[in-house]
Amino acid sequence: MSIALIAIDGPTASGKGTVAQRVAQALGWAYLDSGALYRLCALAALREGVDLEDEGAMARIAAALPVRFEAQRIELAGQDVTEAIRDEAVGNAASRIAALPAVRAALLGLQRAFRRPPGLVADGRDMGTVVFPDATLKVFLTASAESRAERRHKQLIEKGFSASIADLLRDLRQRDERDANRAIAPLRPAQDAVVIDSTHLDIDQTVRQVLKAYHDCFRL
Ligand code: DC
């Protein structure tokens, strides 16, 4: 029997990371933040001065990513990069390299290796469509661009960064556009995904909807 898996895909700042972690906690399962892997590749390339358009060099970085996930911390080559990979510049670079087929192929095995009993909650853009097409439940979590920009703004302000909602909204729309229109593994709901729009839901309500959808999978 295959290992239980909940795939949560959606656009940037849809809250899928927080929701996925909370669902994993509630079920006692492991959690995979697949976006962190693209961010780690981007950060490694930026630090090594590698051209982000150089698909071969980027694929080599992805295939030999010296990453370690330690509880809530992420290490790259022994250095704590938990905060560094959250930088907006790293996120934008991640979105660019995520369009390279060789990078996506190089990260496939690493992502699938996170699947272990009793289950995995994986969040990203193509968890339900490409990486785990046999997922027990596929969720596509979305929210309006305006509410996502507001949430991101609140997060940044809380962390002591200054940011303008207008700039965030523009960046977020650009990122959505690139993620949704790339030729390979574009951001889109799997045919069998449950779509949850969290524009008017808080985190607790969203987590409850995902858990309900999971339990509904086993109803006759
Ligand atoms: O979820 P995130 O913002 O941390 O992801 C950063 C970038 O990585 C995002 O713009 C697109 C890319 N990504 C992807 O292409 N596929 C995934 N499964 C996860 C992220």
Side-chain angles (χ1 to χ4, degrees), residues 16 34 38-39 95 98 104 125-127 175 179 182:
K16 61 191 184 323
S34 65
Y38 290 92
R39 287 172 180 269
S95 166
R104 305 199 72 86
R125 305 293 189 290
D126 61 343
M127 298 297 97
R175 182 114 60 103
D179 292 346
R182 66 183 174 219

Side-chain angles (χ1 to χ4, degrees), residues 89-105:
V90 176
N92 285 322
S95 166
R96 284 173 59 197
I97 62 150
L100 303 172
V103 171
R104 305 199 72 86

Side-chain angles (χ1 to χ4, degrees), residues 99-112:
L100 303 172
V103 171
R104 305 199 72 86
L107 290 177
L108 215 47
L110 181 56
Q111 294 174 89
R112 289 183 176 149

